[in-house]
Amino acid sequence: MPARRWMLAASLFAALCGVLLLLAPGAGIVGIVPVIAWYAVVVGVVLIVGAVRIRS
C-alpha cells in the first residue's frame, strides 16, 4: 500500500528530527527553527499526497 509507505516515511522523518534535537539541545532557537520549518513542509507535503491518493 503506497499510503502506508508515505506514513512510514513521515514517522521515520519525525523520529529522526526528534533524535537530532535531543542530540543538539544547545543549538539554540536559530538552529531549531529551520529544522522545524523543514519538518512542517515535508510532513505537509506527505499528508497532502496521502490525502490525494486516498481520495482517488
Side-chain angles (χ1 to χ4, degrees):
M1 297 226 143
R4 288 187 182 190
R5 280 186 266 180
W6 280 107
M7 293 304 289
L8 178 63
S11 299
L12 291 174
F13 186 70
L16 176 66
C17 285
V19 168
L20 288 175
L21 289 174
L22 284 174
L23 291 176
I29 195 71
V30 174
I32 293 173
V33 168
V35 172
I36 294 171
W38 277 110
Y39 170 77
V41 169
V42 170
V43 170
V45 169
V46 167
L47 291 175
I48 290 169
V49 169
V52 169
R53 285 182 180 240
I54 289 172
R55 184 170 173 126
S56 60

